[in-house]
Amino acid sequence: MADLPEDRIKHLEMIQDVIARMAGESARMKQFALTVVGIVASATVATHAPSLAYVAGGLSLLFWLLDARYLQQERWYRALYDQVRGGTGTTDFCLTPEAALRHRHSFWSVFFRWSVAPLYLALIGIAVALGRFVGGAA
């Protein structure tokens, strides 16, 4: 493997930091979603208010949208990393992915990925089922 110039290595480290932040925020979205939906589900059962369960479903959708956005940006920066790593010449330390890279990873292409869709679909399903159960028991 050829040695990379020092400026390219620094640029790659900067991009790696962005990727790590995006991945960390995506994980945090999942943690928040599980916590919030759990709390709202508990309140739904305690108060016998099915509308709270539907609020939990709406919050799940909101967290899903945010998480998908973080995943989309992470994919942009992974593509930028590959581009900088394989590039030749001097680096400009640009941290803005080009339009072609952004277009390759559209929001909807990541919205239904395996790393986000199953969790949020399950949370929405649980919220709807809980709302119907509590609403039918009242």
Side-chain angles (χ1 to χ4, degrees):
M1 183 169 110
D3 289 330
L4 294 174
E6 186 66 29
D7 60 342
R8 188 169 316 281
I9 292 172
K10 289 295 183 192
H11 192 188
L12 291 171
E13 288 172 355
M14 291 169 56
I15 297 169
Q16 283 177 331
D17 289 343
V18 173
I19 293 168
R21 280 195 304 271
M22 293 300 143
E25 290 303 317
S26 178
R28 201 173 344 269
M29 279 301 118
K30 290 172 179 66
Q31 292 170 345
F32 285 155
L34 289 169
T35 302
V36 168
V37 170
I39 290 169
V40 175
S42 296
T44 300
V45 172
T47 62
H48 302 288
S51 60
L52 283 178
Y54 301 124
V55 168
L59 289 171
S60 297
L61 179 60
L62 178 65
F63 281 116
W64 187 1
L65 291 168
L66 291 170
D67 195 0
R69 180 68 171 154
Y70 281 119
L71 179 61
Q72 177 191 28
Q73 290 182 350
E74 180 186 340
R75 288 178 180 263
W76 289 351
Y77 284 98
R78 287 179 184 274
L80 179 62
Y81 183 92
D82 288 340
Q83 184 181 38
V84 170
R85 181 178 48 86
T88 58
T90 61
T91 184
D92 60 359
F93 291 96
C94 179
L95 289 178
T96 305
E98 296 172 350
L101 292 178
R102 291 192 312 267
H103 182 69
R104 195 176 338 149
H105 301 289
S106 70
F107 178 79
W108 296 111
S109 72
V110 298
F111 186 74
F112 294 105
R113 299 297 296 193
W114 66 268
S115 61
V116 289
L119 171 68
Y120 296 107
L121 285 173
L123 289 176
I124 292 169
I126 289 169
V128 169
L130 184 62
R132 295 180 136 236
F133 174 75
V134 169

Short mmCIF file of all heavy atoms in Angstrom, two decimals, residues 4-52:
data_model
loop_
_atom_site.label_atom_id
_atom_site.label_comp_id
_atom_site.label_asym_id
_atom_site.label_seq_id
_atom_site.Cartn_x
_atom_site.Cartn_y
_atom_site.Cartn_z
N LEU A 4 0.31 7.53 2.26
CA LEU A 4 -0.49 8.71 1.97
C LEU A 4 0.22 9.95 2.50
O LEU A 4 0.86 9.90 3.54
CB LEU A 4 -1.87 8.60 2.62
CG LEU A 4 -2.78 7.50 2.09
CD1 LEU A 4 -4.05 7.42 2.93
CD2 LEU A 4 -3.13 7.75 0.64
N PRO A 5 0.08 11.06 1.81
CA PRO A 5 0.68 12.31 2.30
C PRO A 5 0.03 12.71 3.64
O PRO A 5 -1.13 12.38 3.91
CB PRO A 5 0.35 13.33 1.22
CG PRO A 5 -0.11 12.56 0.04
CD PRO A 5 -0.56 11.23 0.52
N GLU A 6 0.78 13.43 4.44
CA GLU A 6 0.31 13.82 5.78
C GLU A 6 -0.98 14.63 5.72
O GLU A 6 -1.87 14.44 6.55
CB GLU A 6 1.40 14.63 6.49
CG GLU A 6 1.09 14.97 7.91
CD GLU A 6 1.01 13.77 8.84
OE1 GLU A 6 1.69 12.76 8.58
OE2 GLU A 6 0.25 13.84 9.83
N ASP A 7 -1.11 15.53 4.74
CA ASP A 7 -2.33 16.34 4.66
C ASP A 7 -3.55 15.49 4.33
O ASP A 7 -4.64 15.71 4.86
CB ASP A 7 -2.17 17.49 3.66
CG ASP A 7 -1.88 17.02 2.25
OD1 ASP A 7 -1.46 15.86 2.07
OD2 ASP A 7 -2.05 17.84 1.32
N ARG A 8 -3.37 14.47 3.52
CA ARG A 8 -4.49 13.56 3.20
C ARG A 8 -4.89 12.75 4.43
O ARG A 8 -6.07 12.55 4.69
CB ARG A 8 -4.12 12.64 2.04
CG ARG A 8 -5.33 11.84 1.57
CD ARG A 8 -5.10 11.09 0.27
NE ARG A 8 -4.45 11.85 -0.76
CZ ARG A 8 -5.03 12.76 -1.54
NH1 ARG A 8 -6.28 13.04 -1.37
NH2 ARG A 8 -4.35 13.39 -2.48
N ILE A 9 -3.91 12.33 5.20
CA ILE A 9 -4.20 11.59 6.44
C ILE A 9 -5.00 12.46 7.40
O ILE A 9 -5.99 12.02 8.00
CB ILE A 9 -2.90 11.07 7.08
CG1 ILE A 9 -2.29 9.98 6.19
CG2 ILE A 9 -3.17 10.54 8.49
CD1 ILE A 9 -0.92 9.53 6.62
N LYS A 10 -4.62 13.72 7.56
CA LYS A 10 -5.36 14.65 8.43
C LYS A 10 -6.78 14.85 7.93
O LYS A 10 -7.73 14.89 8.71
CB LYS A 10 -4.63 16.00 8.53
CG LYS A 10 -3.36 15.94 9.31
CD LYS A 10 -3.67 15.61 10.76
CE LYS A 10 -2.40 15.62 11.58
NZ LYS A 10 -2.60 15.06 12.90
N HIS A 11 -6.93 14.98 6.62
CA HIS A 11 -8.26 15.16 6.04
C HIS A 11 -9.11 13.92 6.31
O HIS A 11 -10.29 14.03 6.69
CB HIS A 11 -8.13 15.42 4.55
CG HIS A 11 -9.39 15.89 3.90
ND1 HIS A 11 -9.50 16.01 2.53
CD2 HIS A 11 -10.60 16.26 4.39
CE1 HIS A 11 -10.72 16.44 2.23
NE2 HIS A 11 -11.40 16.59 3.34
N LEU A 12 -8.54 12.75 6.13
CA LEU A 12 -9.27 11.51 6.40
C LEU A 12 -9.67 11.41 7.87
O LEU A 12 -10.77 10.95 8.20
CB LEU A 12 -8.43 10.30 5.98
CG LEU A 12 -8.23 10.12 4.48
CD1 LEU A 12 -7.22 9.02 4.19
CD2 LEU A 12 -9.56 9.83 3.78
N GLU A 13 -8.80 11.84 8.77
CA GLU A 13 -9.13 11.84 10.20
C GLU A 13 -10.30 12.76 10.49
O GLU A 13 -11.18 12.43 11.30
CB GLU A 13 -7.91 12.23 11.03
CG GLU A 13 -6.84 11.18 11.08
CD GLU A 13 -5.56 11.65 11.75
OE1 GLU A 13 -5.45 12.85 12.10
OE2 GLU A 13 -4.65 10.81 11.92
N MET A 14 -10.33 13.91 9.83
CA MET A 14 -11.45 14.84 10.01
C MET A 14 -12.76 14.20 9.55
O MET A 14 -13.79 14.31 10.23
CB MET A 14 -11.20 16.13 9.23
CG MET A 14 -10.07 16.98 9.79
SD MET A 14 -9.56 18.33 8.69
CE MET A 14 -11.07 19.22 8.45
N ILE A 15 -12.72 13.53 8.43
CA ILE A 15 -13.92 12.87 7.91
C ILE A 15 -14.33 11.72 8.84
O ILE A 15 -15.52 11.53 9.10
CB ILE A 15 -13.70 12.39 6.47
CG1 ILE A 15 -13.44 13.58 5.55
CG2 ILE A 15 -14.89 11.58 5.97
CD1 ILE A 15 -12.96 13.21 4.16
N GLN A 16 -13.36 10.97 9.35
CA GLN A 16 -13.66 9.89 10.29
C GLN A 16 -14.37 10.42 11.53
O GLN A 16 -15.30 9.78 12.05
CB GLN A 16 -12.39 9.17 10.72
CG GLN A 16 -11.85 8.21 9.70
CD GLN A 16 -10.55 7.58 10.17
OE1 GLN A 16 -9.78 8.17 10.92
NE2 GLN A 16 -10.29 6.37 9.69
N ASP A 17 -13.98 11.59 12.01
CA ASP A 17 -14.63 12.19 13.16
C ASP A 17 -16.10 12.50 12.87
O ASP A 17 -16.97 12.28 13.72
CB ASP A 17 -13.91 13.46 13.59
CG ASP A 17 -12.55 13.19 14.22
OD1 ASP A 17 -12.30 12.03 14.62
OD2 ASP A 17 -11.74 14.14 14.29
N VAL A 18 -16.37 13.00 11.69
CA VAL A 18 -17.76 13.29 11.31
C VAL A 18 -18.56 11.99 11.24
O VAL A 18 -19.69 11.92 11.74
CB VAL A 18 -17.81 14.05 9.97
CG1 VAL A 18 -19.24 14.21 9.49
CG2 VAL A 18 -17.13 15.40 10.09
N ILE A 19 -17.99 10.97 10.64
CA ILE A 19 -18.67 9.67 10.53
C ILE A 19 -18.98 9.13 11.92
O ILE A 19 -20.08 8.64 12.19
CB ILE A 19 -17.83 8.67 9.71
CG1 ILE A 19 -17.75 9.11 8.26
CG2 ILE A 19 -18.40 7.26 9.83
CD1 ILE A 19 -16.72 8.36 7.43
N ALA A 20 -18.02 9.22 12.82
CA ALA A 20 -18.23 8.73 14.19
C ALA A 20 -19.34 9.51 14.89
O ALA A 20 -20.16 8.91 15.62
CB ALA A 20 -16.93 8.82 14.98
N ARG A 21 -19.40 10.82 14.68
CA ARG A 21 -20.47 11.62 15.29
C ARG A 21 -21.83 11.22 14.74
O ARG A 21 -22.80 11.10 15.50
CB ARG A 21 -20.24 13.11 15.06
CG ARG A 21 -19.22 13.70 16.02
CD ARG A 21 -19.29 15.22 16.02
NE ARG A 21 -19.11 15.83 14.71
CZ ARG A 21 -17.95 16.17 14.18
NH1 ARG A 21 -16.83 15.92 14.83
NH2 ARG A 21 -17.89 16.74 13.00
N MET A 22 -21.92 11.02 13.44
CA MET A 22 -23.20 10.63 12.83
C MET A 22 -23.64 9.25 13.33
O MET A 22 -24.81 9.05 13.65
CB MET A 22 -23.10 10.61 11.30
CG MET A 22 -22.90 11.95 10.67
SD MET A 22 -24.23 13.09 11.06
CE MET A 22 -23.31 14.59 11.23
N ALA A 23 -22.72 8.32 13.42
CA ALA A 23 -23.06 6.99 13.91
C ALA A 23 -23.48 7.05 15.38
O ALA A 23 -24.43 6.37 15.80
CB ALA A 23 -21.87 6.04 13.74
N GLY A 24 -22.81 7.87 16.17
CA GLY A 24 -23.16 8.03 17.58
C GLY A 24 -24.54 8.64 17.75
O GLY A 24 -25.32 8.22 18.62
N GLU A 25 -24.86 9.64 16.94
CA GLU A 25 -26.18 10.28 17.03
C GLU A 25 -27.28 9.32 16.58
O GLU A 25 -28.38 9.33 17.14
CB GLU A 25 -26.22 11.56 16.20
CG GLU A 25 -25.40 12.68 16.79
CD GLU A 25 -25.81 13.03 18.21
OE1 GLU A 25 -27.01 13.12 18.51
OE2 GLU A 25 -24.90 13.22 19.05
N SER A 26 -26.98 8.49 15.60
CA SER A 26 -27.96 7.49 15.17
C SER A 26 -28.25 6.51 16.31
O SER A 26 -29.41 6.18 16.57
CB SER A 26 -27.43 6.74 13.94
OG SER A 26 -28.33 5.75 13.53
N ALA A 27 -27.22 6.07 16.99
CA ALA A 27 -27.42 5.17 18.13
C ALA A 27 -28.19 5.87 19.24
O ALA A 27 -29.07 5.29 19.88
CB ALA A 27 -26.07 4.68 18.65
N ARG A 28 -27.91 7.14 19.44
CA ARG A 28 -28.61 7.92 20.47
C ARG A 28 -30.09 8.07 20.12
O ARG A 28 -30.96 8.03 21.00
CB ARG A 28 -27.94 9.28 20.64
CG ARG A 28 -28.24 9.92 21.95
CD ARG A 28 -27.45 11.20 22.23
NE ARG A 28 -26.27 11.47 21.43
CZ ARG A 28 -25.03 11.09 21.76
NH1 ARG A 28 -24.81 10.43 22.86
NH2 ARG A 28 -24.01 11.39 20.98
N MET A 29 -30.41 8.24 18.84
CA MET A 29 -31.81 8.33 18.42
C MET A 29 -32.55 7.05 18.78
O MET A 29 -33.69 7.08 19.26
CB MET A 29 -31.92 8.54 16.91
CG MET A 29 -31.74 9.94 16.44
SD MET A 29 -32.91 11.09 17.14
CE MET A 29 -31.76 12.14 17.98
N LYS A 30 -31.91 5.91 18.56
CA LYS A 30 -32.54 4.64 18.89
C LYS A 30 -32.77 4.53 20.41
O LYS A 30 -33.82 4.07 20.85
CB LYS A 30 -31.69 3.48 18.38
CG LYS A 30 -31.69 3.36 16.86
CD LYS A 30 -30.70 2.32 16.40
CE LYS A 30 -30.69 2.17 14.89
NZ LYS A 30 -30.22 3.31 14.14
N GLN A 31 -31.79 4.94 21.18
CA GLN A 31 -31.94 4.90 22.65
C GLN A 31 -33.07 5.82 23.10
O GLN A 31 -33.90 5.42 23.93
CB GLN A 31 -30.64 5.32 23.33
CG GLN A 31 -29.51 4.35 23.16
CD GLN A 31 -28.18 4.92 23.66
OE1 GLN A 31 -28.04 6.12 23.87
NE2 GLN A 31 -27.20 4.03 23.82
N PHE A 32 -33.11 7.03 22.58
CA PHE A 32 -34.18 7.97 22.94
C PHE A 32 -35.54 7.41 22.55
O PHE A 32 -36.51 7.52 23.31
CB PHE A 32 -33.98 9.32 22.27
CG PHE A 32 -32.90 10.18 22.87
CD1 PHE A 32 -32.26 11.14 22.11
CD2 PHE A 32 -32.52 10.04 24.20
CE1 PHE A 32 -31.27 11.94 22.65
CE2 PHE A 32 -31.54 10.84 24.74
CZ PHE A 32 -30.90 11.79 23.97
N ALA A 33 -35.63 6.85 21.35
CA ALA A 33 -36.91 6.32 20.88
C ALA A 33 -37.40 5.21 21.81
O ALA A 33 -38.57 5.21 22.22
CB ALA A 33 -36.77 5.78 19.46
N LEU A 34 -36.53 4.29 22.16
CA LEU A 34 -36.94 3.20 23.05
C LEU A 34 -37.36 3.73 24.41
O LEU A 34 -38.38 3.29 24.98
CB LEU A 34 -35.80 2.18 23.20
CG LEU A 34 -35.52 1.34 21.97
CD1 LEU A 34 -34.21 0.58 22.13
CD2 LEU A 34 -36.66 0.37 21.72
N THR A 35 -36.62 4.68 24.94
CA THR A 35 -36.94 5.25 26.25
C THR A 35 -38.25 6.01 26.22
O THR A 35 -39.13 5.79 27.08
CB THR A 35 -35.80 6.17 26.72
OG1 THR A 35 -34.58 5.42 26.76
CG2 THR A 35 -36.09 6.75 28.09
N VAL A 36 -38.41 6.89 25.27
CA VAL A 36 -39.62 7.71 25.19
C VAL A 36 -40.86 6.86 24.95
O VAL A 36 -41.88 7.03 25.61
CB VAL A 36 -39.46 8.81 24.12
CG1 VAL A 36 -40.78 9.49 23.81
CG2 VAL A 36 -38.43 9.83 24.55
N VAL A 37 -40.76 5.93 24.02
CA VAL A 37 -41.91 5.07 23.74
C VAL A 37 -42.23 4.21 24.97
O VAL A 37 -43.41 4.01 25.29
CB VAL A 37 -41.67 4.21 22.48
CG1 VAL A 37 -42.73 3.15 22.32
CG2 VAL A 37 -41.64 5.12 21.26
N GLY A 38 -41.24 3.73 25.67
CA GLY A 38 -41.49 2.97 26.89
C GLY A 38 -42.19 3.80 27.96
O GLY A 38 -43.13 3.33 28.61
N ILE A 39 -41.76 5.03 28.12
CA ILE A 39 -42.38 5.91 29.12
C ILE A 39 -43.83 6.23 28.73
O ILE A 39 -44.74 6.16 29.56
CB ILE A 39 -41.55 7.20 29.28
CG1 ILE A 39 -40.23 6.89 29.98
CG2 ILE A 39 -42.33 8.27 30.04
CD1 ILE A 39 -39.23 8.03 29.96
N VAL A 40 -44.03 6.58 27.47
CA VAL A 40 -45.39 6.91 27.01
C VAL A 40 -46.29 5.67 27.06
O VAL A 40 -47.46 5.77 27.43
CB VAL A 40 -45.36 7.55 25.61
CG1 VAL A 40 -46.76 7.78 25.08
CG2 VAL A 40 -44.59 8.86 25.64
N ALA A 41 -45.75 4.50 26.76
CA ALA A 41 -46.54 3.27 26.86
C ALA A 41 -46.94 2.99 28.31
O ALA A 41 -48.08 2.60 28.58
CB ALA A 41 -45.75 2.09 26.29
N SER A 42 -46.04 3.22 29.22
CA SER A 42 -46.37 3.05 30.64
C SER A 42 -47.46 4.02 31.06
O SER A 42 -48.39 3.66 31.79
CB SER A 42 -45.13 3.28 31.51
OG SER A 42 -44.16 2.31 31.24
N ALA A 43 -47.35 5.27 30.61
CA ALA A 43 -48.38 6.26 30.93
C ALA A 43 -49.72 5.88 30.30
O ALA A 43 -50.78 6.11 30.90
CB ALA A 43 -47.93 7.63 30.47
N THR A 44 -49.68 5.29 29.12
CA THR A 44 -50.91 4.85 28.44
C THR A 44 -51.63 3.81 29.27
O THR A 44 -52.84 3.90 29.49
CB THR A 44 -50.58 4.27 27.05
OG1 THR A 44 -49.95 5.27 26.27
CG2 THR A 44 -51.82 3.78 26.35
N VAL A 45 -50.89 2.84 29.76
CA VAL A 45 -51.49 1.77 30.56
C VAL A 45 -51.98 2.32 31.90
O VAL A 45 -53.07 1.98 32.36
CB VAL A 45 -50.49 0.61 30.75
CG1 VAL A 45 -51.02 -0.41 31.74
CG2 VAL A 45 -50.18 -0.04 29.42
N ALA A 46 -51.20 3.19 32.51
CA ALA A 46 -51.56 3.73 33.83
C ALA A 46 -52.80 4.62 33.77
O ALA A 46 -53.61 4.60 34.69
CB ALA A 46 -50.39 4.50 34.42
N THR A 47 -52.93 5.38 32.69
CA THR A 47 -54.05 6.33 32.60
C THR A 47 -55.21 5.81 31.76
O THR A 47 -56.25 6.47 31.69
CB THR A 47 -53.57 7.66 32.00
OG1 THR A 47 -53.10 7.42 30.67
CG2 THR A 47 -52.51 8.31 32.86
N HIS A 48 -55.05 4.66 31.14
CA HIS A 48 -56.06 4.09 30.23
C HIS A 48 -56.45 5.09 29.15
O HIS A 48 -57.63 5.22 28.81
CB HIS A 48 -57.30 3.62 31.01
CG HIS A 48 -56.97 2.60 32.06
ND1 HIS A 48 -56.63 1.30 31.73
CD2 HIS A 48 -56.91 2.69 33.41
CE1 HIS A 48 -56.38 0.64 32.84
NE2 HIS A 48 -56.54 1.46 33.88
N ALA A 49 -55.47 5.80 28.62
CA ALA A 49 -55.69 6.79 27.57
C ALA A 49 -55.05 6.30 26.27
O ALA A 49 -53.84 6.44 26.09
CB ALA A 49 -55.11 8.14 27.98
N PRO A 50 -55.86 5.71 25.38
CA PRO A 50 -55.29 5.17 24.15
C PRO A 50 -54.64 6.24 23.27
O PRO A 50 -53.75 5.94 22.48
CB PRO A 50 -56.48 4.52 23.44
CG PRO A 50 -57.68 5.07 24.09
CD PRO A 50 -57.30 5.50 25.46
N SER A 51 -55.05 7.49 23.41
CA SER A 51 -54.46 8.55 22.59
C SER A 51 -52.97 8.70 22.87
O SER A 51 -52.20 9.07 21.98
CB SER A 51 -55.19 9.87 22.81
OG SER A 51 -55.10 10.26 24.17
N LEU A 52 -52.56 8.40 24.10
CA LEU A 52 -51.13 8.46 24.42
C LEU A 52 -50.33 7.43 23.62
O LEU A 52 -49.20 7.69 23.22
CB LEU A 52 -50.89 8.25 25.91
CG LEU A 52 -51.19 9.43 26.82
CD1 LEU A 52 -50.97 9.04 28.28
CD2 LEU A 52 -50.35 10.62 26.45
#
